[in-house]
PDB file of all heavy atoms in Angstrom:
ATOM      1  N   LYS A  22       8.326   5.957 -15.567  1.00 97.00           N
ATOM      2  CA  LYS A  22       9.400   6.138 -16.562  1.00 97.00           C
ATOM      3  C   LYS A  22      10.252   4.887 -16.717  1.00 97.00           C
ATOM      4  O   LYS A  22      10.853   4.658 -17.758  1.00 97.00           O
ATOM      5  CB  LYS A  22      10.305   7.299 -16.134  1.00 97.00           C
ATOM      6  CG  LYS A  22       9.756   8.637 -16.544  1.00 97.00           C
ATOM      7  CD  LYS A  22      10.780   9.724 -16.299  1.00 97.00           C
ATOM      8  CE  LYS A  22      10.092  11.069 -16.347  1.00 97.00           C
ATOM      9  NZ  LYS A  22      10.827  12.106 -15.646  1.00 97.00           N
ATOM     10  N   ALA A  23      10.325   4.096 -15.653  1.00 98.00           N
ATOM     11  CA  ALA A  23      11.114   2.855 -15.698  1.00 98.00           C
ATOM     12  C   ALA A  23      10.193   1.640 -15.678  1.00 98.00           C
ATOM     13  O   ALA A  23      10.592   0.551 -15.266  1.00 98.00           O
ATOM     14  CB  ALA A  23      12.084   2.811 -14.533  1.00 98.00           C
ATOM     15  N   LEU A  24       8.964   1.814 -16.177  1.00 98.00           N
ATOM     16  CA  LEU A  24       7.963   0.730 -16.183  1.00 98.00           C
ATOM     17  C   LEU A  24       7.853   0.068 -14.802  1.00 98.00           C
ATOM     18  O   LEU A  24       7.727  -1.149 -14.677  1.00 98.00           O
ATOM     19  CB  LEU A  24       8.294  -0.320 -17.261  1.00 98.00           C
ATOM     20  CG  LEU A  24       8.398   0.188 -18.709  1.00 98.00           C
ATOM     21  CD1 LEU A  24       8.633  -0.979 -19.657  1.00 98.00           C
ATOM     22  CD2 LEU A  24       7.153   0.963 -19.128  1.00 98.00           C
ATOM     23  N   ALA A  26       9.990  -0.494 -12.581  1.00 98.00           N
ATOM     24  CA  ALA A  26      11.060  -1.438 -12.207  1.00 98.00           C
ATOM     25  C   ALA A  26      11.287  -1.358 -10.698  1.00 98.00           C
ATOM     26  O   ALA A  26      11.205  -0.285 -10.090  1.00 98.00           O
ATOM     27  CB  ALA A  26      12.342  -1.104 -12.968  1.00 98.00           C
ATOM     28  N   ARG A  58       0.688   0.916 -18.386  1.00 98.00           N
ATOM     29  CA  ARG A  58       1.679   0.271 -19.242  1.00 98.00           C
ATOM     30  C   ARG A  58       2.358  -0.923 -18.564  1.00 98.00           C
ATOM     31  O   ARG A  58       2.740  -1.884 -19.225  1.00 98.00           O
ATOM     32  CB  ARG A  58       2.733   1.319 -19.630  1.00 98.00           C
ATOM     33  CG  ARG A  58       3.414   0.995 -20.906  1.00 98.00           C
ATOM     34  CD  ARG A  58       4.192   2.147 -21.461  1.00 98.00           C
ATOM     35  NE  ARG A  58       5.215   1.627 -22.332  1.00 98.00           N
ATOM     36  CZ  ARG A  58       6.388   2.153 -22.490  1.00 98.00           C
ATOM     37  NH1 ARG A  58       6.717   3.260 -21.843  1.00 98.00           N
ATOM     38  NH2 ARG A  58       7.270   1.604 -23.306  1.00 98.00           N
ATOM     39  N   ALA A  62       8.190  -4.013 -14.545  1.00 98.00           N
ATOM     40  CA  ALA A  62       9.089  -4.705 -15.488  1.00 98.00           C
ATOM     41  C   ALA A  62      10.219  -5.428 -14.765  1.00 98.00           C
ATOM     42  O   ALA A  62      11.201  -5.842 -15.395  1.00 98.00           O
ATOM     43  CB  ALA A  62       9.648  -3.721 -16.507  1.00 98.00           C
ATOM     44  N   GLY A  63      10.104  -5.584 -13.457  1.00 97.00           N
ATOM     45  CA  GLY A  63      11.073  -6.434 -12.738  1.00 97.00           C
ATOM     46  C   GLY A  63      12.167  -5.657 -12.053  1.00 97.00           C
ATOM     47  O   GLY A  63      12.099  -4.429 -11.929  1.00 97.00           O
ATOM     48  N   ALA A  64      13.177  -6.382 -11.620  1.00 95.00           N
ATOM     49  CA  ALA A  64      14.299  -5.740 -10.928  1.00 95.00           C
ATOM     50  C   ALA A  64      14.849  -4.622 -11.798  1.00 95.00           C
ATOM     51  O   ALA A  64      14.794  -4.692 -13.030  1.00 95.00           O
ATOM     52  CB  ALA A  64      15.384  -6.766 -10.641  1.00 95.00           C
ATOM     53  N   ASP A  65      15.380  -3.589 -11.149  1.00 94.00           N
ATOM     54  CA  ASP A  65      15.898  -2.438 -11.890  1.00 94.00           C
ATOM     55  C   ASP A  65      17.256  -2.804 -12.490  1.00 94.00           C
ATOM     56  O   ASP A  65      18.276  -2.828 -11.799  1.00 94.00           O
ATOM     57  CB  ASP A  65      16.011  -1.222 -10.964  1.00 94.00           C
ATOM     58  CG  ASP A  65      16.280   0.030 -11.771  1.00 94.00           C
ATOM     59  OD1 ASP A  65      17.121  -0.033 -12.704  1.00 94.00           O
ATOM     60  OD2 ASP A  65      15.651   1.057 -11.497  1.00 94.00           O
ATOM     61  N   ILE A  66      17.243  -3.059 -13.804  1.00 92.00           N
ATOM     62  CA  ILE A  66      18.466  -3.536 -14.477  1.00 92.00           C
ATOM     63  C   ILE A  66      19.546  -2.455 -14.454  1.00 92.00           C
ATOM     64  O   ILE A  66      20.733  -2.757 -14.367  1.00 92.00           O
ATOM     65  CB  ILE A  66      18.147  -3.952 -15.934  1.00 92.00           C
ATOM     66  CG1 ILE A  66      17.112  -5.083 -15.935  1.00 92.00           C
ATOM     67  CG2 ILE A  66      19.400  -4.381 -16.674  1.00 92.00           C
ATOM     68  CD1 ILE A  66      16.562  -5.448 -17.305  1.00 92.00           C
ATOM     69  N   LYS A  67      19.111  -1.190 -14.471  1.00 92.00           N
ATOM     70  CA  LYS A  67      20.111  -0.115 -14.510  1.00 92.00           C
ATOM     71  C   LYS A  67      20.812   0.058 -13.163  1.00 92.00           C
ATOM     72  O   LYS A  67      21.906   0.608 -13.091  1.00 92.00           O
ATOM     73  CB  LYS A  67      19.442   1.190 -14.941  1.00 92.00           C
ATOM     74  CG  LYS A  67      19.003   1.152 -16.400  1.00 92.00           C
ATOM     75  CD  LYS A  67      18.187   2.370 -16.751  1.00 92.00           C
ATOM     76  CE  LYS A  67      17.670   2.298 -18.169  1.00 92.00           C
ATOM     77  NZ  LYS A  67      16.573   3.270 -18.398  1.00 92.00           N
ATOM     78  N   MET A  69      21.760  -2.450 -11.452  1.00 82.00           N
ATOM     79  CA  MET A  69      22.621  -3.613 -11.213  1.00 82.00           C
ATOM     80  C   MET A  69      24.102  -3.293 -11.317  1.00 82.00           C
ATOM     81  O   MET A  69      24.865  -3.619 -10.399  1.00 82.00           O
ATOM     82  CB  MET A  69      22.235  -4.764 -12.147  1.00 82.00           C
ATOM     83  CG  MET A  69      20.865  -5.333 -11.824  1.00 82.00           C
ATOM     84  SD  MET A  69      20.368  -6.612 -12.989  1.00 82.00           S
ATOM     85  CE  MET A  69      18.678  -6.887 -12.488  1.00 82.00           C
ATOM     86  N   TRP A  77      22.187  -8.259  -4.601  1.00 72.00           N
ATOM     87  CA  TRP A  77      21.195  -9.329  -4.484  1.00 72.00           C
ATOM     88  C   TRP A  77      21.031  -9.788  -3.041  1.00 72.00           C
ATOM     89  O   TRP A  77      19.986 -10.244  -2.643  1.00 72.00           O
ATOM     90  CB  TRP A  77      21.578 -10.524  -5.375  1.00 72.00           C
ATOM     91  CG  TRP A  77      21.615 -10.131  -6.810  1.00 72.00           C
ATOM     92  CD1 TRP A  77      22.714 -10.090  -7.622  1.00 72.00           C
ATOM     93  CD2 TRP A  77      20.512  -9.693  -7.612  1.00 72.00           C
ATOM     94  NE1 TRP A  77      22.343  -9.651  -8.871  1.00 72.00           N
ATOM     95  CE2 TRP A  77      21.009  -9.408  -8.895  1.00 72.00           C
ATOM     96  CE3 TRP A  77      19.144  -9.507  -7.366  1.00 72.00           C
ATOM     97  CZ2 TRP A  77      20.195  -8.948  -9.922  1.00 72.00           C
ATOM     98  CZ3 TRP A  77      18.328  -9.051  -8.393  1.00 72.00           C
ATOM     99  CH2 TRP A  77      18.865  -8.785  -9.656  1.00 72.00           C
ATOM    100  N   ARG A  82      17.045  -5.203   0.847  1.00 91.00           N
ATOM    101  CA  ARG A  82      16.337  -5.805  -0.281  1.00 91.00           C
ATOM    102  C   ARG A  82      15.684  -7.139   0.134  1.00 91.00           C
ATOM    103  O   ARG A  82      14.500  -7.375  -0.100  1.00 91.00           O
ATOM    104  CB  ARG A  82      17.355  -6.029  -1.407  1.00 91.00           C
ATOM    105  CG  ARG A  82      16.785  -6.261  -2.744  1.00 91.00           C
ATOM    106  CD  ARG A  82      17.873  -6.449  -3.785  1.00 91.00           C
ATOM    107  NE  ARG A  82      17.231  -7.090  -4.899  1.00 91.00           N
ATOM    108  CZ  ARG A  82      16.975  -8.395  -4.945  1.00 91.00           C
ATOM    109  NH1 ARG A  82      17.364  -9.201  -3.987  1.00 91.00           N
ATOM    110  NH2 ARG A  82      16.328  -8.893  -5.975  1.00 91.00           N
ATOM    111  N   TYR A 103       2.901  -4.989 -18.431  1.00 98.00           N
ATOM    112  CA  TYR A 103       3.956  -5.968 -18.120  1.00 98.00           C
ATOM    113  C   TYR A 103       4.038  -6.343 -16.645  1.00 98.00           C
ATOM    114  O   TYR A 103       4.038  -5.466 -15.775  1.00 98.00           O
ATOM    115  CB  TYR A 103       5.323  -5.402 -18.511  1.00 98.00           C
ATOM    116  CG  TYR A 103       5.471  -5.082 -19.984  1.00 98.00           C
ATOM    117  CD1 TYR A 103       5.587  -3.767 -20.425  1.00 98.00           C
ATOM    118  CD2 TYR A 103       5.519  -6.101 -20.934  1.00 98.00           C
ATOM    119  CE1 TYR A 103       5.730  -3.464 -21.782  1.00 98.00           C
ATOM    120  CE2 TYR A 103       5.664  -5.806 -22.288  1.00 98.00           C
ATOM    121  CZ  TYR A 103       5.769  -4.493 -22.704  1.00 98.00           C
ATOM    122  OH  TYR A 103       5.909  -4.207 -24.038  1.00 98.00           O
ATOM    123  N   LEU A 105       6.884  -8.559 -15.280  1.00 98.00           N
ATOM    124  CA  LEU A 105       8.059  -9.313 -15.750  1.00 98.00           C
ATOM    125  C   LEU A 105       9.083  -9.499 -14.638  1.00 98.00           C
ATOM    126  O   LEU A 105       9.230  -8.623 -13.767  1.00 98.00           O
ATOM    127  CB  LEU A 105       8.730  -8.554 -16.908  1.00 98.00           C
ATOM    128  CG  LEU A 105       7.829  -8.187 -18.094  1.00 98.00           C
ATOM    129  CD1 LEU A 105       8.617  -7.380 -19.124  1.00 98.00           C
ATOM    130  CD2 LEU A 105       7.226  -9.450 -18.729  1.00 98.00           C
ATOM    131  N   GLY A 106       9.817 -10.584 -14.720  1.00 98.00           N
ATOM    132  CA  GLY A 106      10.900 -10.814 -13.773  1.00 98.00           C
ATOM    133  C   GLY A 106      10.410 -10.659 -12.337  1.00 98.00           C
ATOM    134  O   GLY A 106       9.438 -11.297 -11.914  1.00 98.00           O
ATOM    135  N   GLY A 107      11.074  -9.776 -11.594  1.00 98.00           N
ATOM    136  CA  GLY A 107      10.652  -9.526 -10.212  1.00 98.00           C
ATOM    137  C   GLY A 107       9.212  -9.050 -10.119  1.00 98.00           C
ATOM    138  O   GLY A 107       8.536  -9.265  -9.104  1.00 98.00           O
ATOM    139  N   PRO A 129      11.893 -12.958 -18.053  1.00 97.00           N
ATOM    140  CA  PRO A 129      12.925 -12.884 -19.096  1.00 97.00           C
ATOM    141  C   PRO A 129      14.352 -12.748 -18.561  1.00 97.00           C
ATOM    142  O   PRO A 129      15.257 -12.365 -19.308  1.00 97.00           O
ATOM    143  CB  PRO A 129      12.517 -11.604 -19.850  1.00 97.00           C
ATOM    144  CG  PRO A 129      11.892 -10.739 -18.808  1.00 97.00           C
ATOM    145  CD  PRO A 129      11.260 -11.663 -17.793  1.00 97.00           C
ATOM    146  N   GLU A 130      14.577 -13.088 -17.291  1.00 95.00           N
ATOM    147  CA  GLU A 130      15.901 -12.888 -16.687  1.00 95.00           C
ATOM    148  C   GLU A 130      17.028 -13.550 -17.478  1.00 95.00           C
ATOM    149  O   GLU A 130      18.145 -13.039 -17.524  1.00 95.00           O
ATOM    150  CB  GLU A 130      15.923 -13.424 -15.246  1.00 95.00           C
ATOM    151  CG  GLU A 130      15.205 -12.541 -14.240  1.00 95.00           C
ATOM    152  CD  GLU A 130      13.736 -12.900 -14.053  1.00 95.00           C
ATOM    153  OE1 GLU A 130      13.148 -13.500 -14.977  1.00 95.00           O
ATOM    154  OE2 GLU A 130      13.178 -12.559 -13.000  1.00 95.00           O
ATOM    155  N   ILE A 133      19.239 -11.531 -19.662  1.00 92.00           N
ATOM    156  CA  ILE A 133      20.379 -10.776 -19.122  1.00 92.00           C
ATOM    157  C   ILE A 133      21.271 -11.723 -18.301  1.00 92.00           C
ATOM    158  O   ILE A 133      21.953 -11.307 -17.362  1.00 92.00           O
ATOM    159  CB  ILE A 133      19.938  -9.551 -18.285  1.00 92.00           C
ATOM    160  CG1 ILE A 133      19.000  -9.968 -17.136  1.00 92.00           C
ATOM    161  CG2 ILE A 133      19.311  -8.486 -19.158  1.00 92.00           C
ATOM    162  CD1 ILE A 133      18.911  -8.929 -16.015  1.00 92.00           C
ATOM    163  N   ALA A 135      20.565 -14.002 -16.117  1.00 91.00           N
ATOM    164  CA  ALA A 135      20.205 -14.199 -14.706  1.00 91.00           C
ATOM    165  C   ALA A 135      19.051 -15.197 -14.674  1.00 91.00           C
ATOM    166  O   ALA A 135      18.735 -15.826 -15.695  1.00 91.00           O
ATOM    167  CB  ALA A 135      19.805 -12.862 -14.077  1.00 91.00           C
ATOM    168  N   PHE A 136      18.443 -15.349 -13.546  1.00 93.00           N
ATOM    169  CA  PHE A 136      17.260 -16.215 -13.446  1.00 93.00           C
ATOM    170  C   PHE A 136      16.340 -15.618 -12.390  1.00 93.00           C
ATOM    171  O   PHE A 136      16.762 -14.741 -11.622  1.00 93.00           O
ATOM    172  CB  PHE A 136      17.663 -17.661 -13.102  1.00 93.00           C
ATOM    173  CG  PHE A 136      18.390 -17.781 -11.794  1.00 93.00           C
ATOM    174  CD1 PHE A 136      17.691 -17.914 -10.605  1.00 93.00           C
ATOM    175  CD2 PHE A 136      19.782 -17.727 -11.742  1.00 93.00           C
ATOM    176  CE1 PHE A 136      18.360 -18.004  -9.389  1.00 93.00           C
ATOM    177  CE2 PHE A 136      20.456 -17.814 -10.530  1.00 93.00           C
ATOM    178  CZ  PHE A 136      19.736 -17.946  -9.344  1.00 93.00           C
ATOM    179  N   GLY A 138      15.429 -15.037  -9.369  1.00 93.00           N
ATOM    180  CA  GLY A 138      16.071 -15.413  -8.103  1.00 93.00           C
ATOM    181  C   GLY A 138      15.424 -14.815  -6.867  1.00 93.00           C
ATOM    182  O   GLY A 138      16.002 -14.878  -5.784  1.00 93.00           O
ATOM    183  N   ASP A 139      14.270 -14.210  -7.025  1.00 94.00           N
ATOM    184  CA  ASP A 139      13.557 -13.726  -5.836  1.00 94.00           C
ATOM    185  C   ASP A 139      12.341 -14.615  -5.579  1.00 94.00           C
ATOM    186  O   ASP A 139      11.241 -14.133  -5.305  1.00 94.00           O
ATOM    187  CB  ASP A 139      13.170 -12.250  -5.992  1.00 94.00           C
ATOM    188  CG  ASP A 139      14.389 -11.345  -5.819  1.00 94.00           C
ATOM    189  OD1 ASP A 139      15.104 -11.514  -4.820  1.00 94.00           O
ATOM    190  OD2 ASP A 139      14.645 -10.499  -6.699  1.00 94.00           O
TER     191      ASP A 139
HETATM  192  N1  LIG B   1      14.913  -1.956 -15.172  1.00 74.20           N
HETATM  193  C1  LIG B   1      15.215  -0.659 -15.422  1.00 74.20           C
HETATM  194  N2  LIG B   1      14.641   0.056 -16.388  1.00 74.20           N
HETATM  195  C2  LIG B   1      13.726  -0.550 -17.164  1.00 74.20           C
HETATM  196  C3  LIG B   1      13.343  -1.894 -16.965  1.00 74.20           C
HETATM  197  C4  LIG B   1      13.976  -2.607 -15.910  1.00 74.20           C
HETATM  198  N3  LIG B   1      13.675  -3.879 -15.598  1.00 74.20           N
HETATM  199  N4  LIG B   1      12.416  -2.219 -17.884  1.00 74.20           N
HETATM  200  C5  LIG B   1      12.226  -1.112 -18.628  1.00 74.20           C
HETATM  201  N5  LIG B   1      12.996  -0.103 -18.191  1.00 74.20           N
HETATM  202  C6  LIG B   1      13.071   1.252 -18.714  1.00 74.20           C
HETATM  203  C7  LIG B   1      13.736   1.281 -20.092  1.00 74.20           C
HETATM  204  O1  LIG B   1      15.151   1.277 -19.951  1.00 74.20           O
HETATM  205  C8  LIG B   1      13.215   2.582 -20.648  1.00 74.20           C
HETATM  206  O2  LIG B   1      13.913   3.661 -20.044  1.00 74.20           O
HETATM  207  P1  LIG B   1      14.434   4.910 -20.963  1.00 74.20           P
HETATM  208  O3  LIG B   1      15.281   4.307 -22.004  1.00 74.20           O
HETATM  209  O4  LIG B   1      13.155   5.515 -21.512  1.00 74.20           O
HETATM  210  O5  LIG B   1      15.156   5.772 -19.973  1.00 74.20           O
HETATM  211  C9  LIG B   1      11.778   2.611 -20.120  1.00 74.20           C
HETATM  212  O6  LIG B   1      11.758   1.747 -18.979  1.00 74.20           O
HETATM  213  C10 LIG B   1      10.757   2.106 -21.119  1.00 74.20           C
HETATM  214  O7  LIG B   1      11.187   0.831 -21.563  1.00 74.20           O
HETATM  215  P2  LIG B   1      11.394   0.481 -23.128  1.00 74.20           P
HETATM  216  O8  LIG B   1      11.743   1.677 -23.907  1.00 74.20           O
HETATM  217  O9  LIG B   1      12.320  -0.696 -23.180  1.00 74.20           O
HETATM  218  O10 LIG B   1       9.915   0.035 -23.483  1.00 74.20           O
HETATM  219  P3  LIG B   1       9.451  -1.016 -24.571  1.00 74.20           P
HETATM  220  O11 LIG B   1       7.974  -0.875 -24.658  1.00 74.20           O
HETATM  221  O12 LIG B   1      10.245  -0.884 -25.836  1.00 74.20           O
HETATM  222  O13 LIG B   1       9.816  -2.445 -23.955  1.00 74.20           O
HETATM  223  C11 LIG B   1       9.895  -4.099 -22.230  1.00 74.20           C
HETATM  224  C12 LIG B   1       9.152  -2.865 -22.811  1.00 74.20           C
HETATM  225  C13 LIG B   1       9.236  -4.418 -20.869  1.00 74.20           C
HETATM  226  C14 LIG B   1       9.692  -5.291 -23.163  1.00 74.20           C
HETATM  227  C15 LIG B   1      11.407  -3.807 -22.069  1.00 74.20           C
HETATM  228  O14 LIG B   1      11.528  -2.561 -21.367  1.00 74.20           O
HETATM  229  C16 LIG B   1      12.132  -4.845 -21.309  1.00 74.20           C
HETATM  230  O15 LIG B   1      12.464  -5.919 -21.829  1.00 74.20           O
HETATM  231  N6  LIG B   1      12.469  -4.549 -20.020  1.00 74.20           N
HETATM  232  C17 LIG B   1      13.253  -5.443 -19.206  1.00 74.20           C
HETATM  233  C18 LIG B   1      12.381  -6.539 -18.626  1.00 74.20           C
HETATM  234  C19 LIG B   1      13.201  -7.545 -17.830  1.00 74.20           C
HETATM  235  O16 LIG B   1      14.201  -8.096 -18.349  1.00 74.20           O
HETATM  236  N7  LIG B   1      12.832  -7.767 -16.592  1.00 74.20           N
HETATM  237  C20 LIG B   1      13.556  -8.688 -15.698  1.00 74.20           C
HETATM  238  C21 LIG B   1      14.578  -7.884 -14.922  1.00 74.20           C
HETATM  239  S1  LIG B   1      15.679  -8.940 -13.943  1.00 74.20           S
HETATM  240  C22 LIG B   1      18.592 -12.583  -8.426  1.00 74.20           C
HETATM  241  C23 LIG B   1      19.112 -12.548  -9.720  1.00 74.20           C
HETATM  242  C24 LIG B   1      18.384 -11.940 -10.730  1.00 74.20           C
HETATM  243  C25 LIG B   1      17.149 -11.365 -10.487  1.00 74.20           C
HETATM  244  C26 LIG B   1      16.655 -11.397  -9.212  1.00 74.20           C
HETATM  245  C27 LIG B   1      17.368 -11.988  -8.164  1.00 74.20           C
HETATM  246  N8  LIG B   1      19.413 -13.216  -7.360  1.00 74.20           N
HETATM  247  C28 LIG B   1      20.738 -13.610  -7.653  1.00 74.20           C
HETATM  248  C29 LIG B   1      18.902 -13.114  -6.016  1.00 74.20           C
HETATM  249  C30 LIG B   1      16.529 -10.682 -11.585  1.00 74.20           C
HETATM  250  C31 LIG B   1      15.359 -10.138 -11.488  1.00 74.20           C
HETATM  251  C32 LIG B   1      14.748  -9.344 -12.577  1.00 74.20           C
HETATM  252  O17 LIG B   1      13.625  -8.999 -12.441  1.00 74.20           O
END
Side-chain angles (χ1 to χ4, degrees):
K22 277 189 196 158
L24 302 184
R58 205 166 157 214
D65 191 317
I66 300 172
K67 291 173 184 164
M69 292 176 188
W77 298 114
R82 197 179 161 280
Y103 299 112
L105 306 177
E130 285 91 336
I133 56 160
F136 60 86
D139 285 310

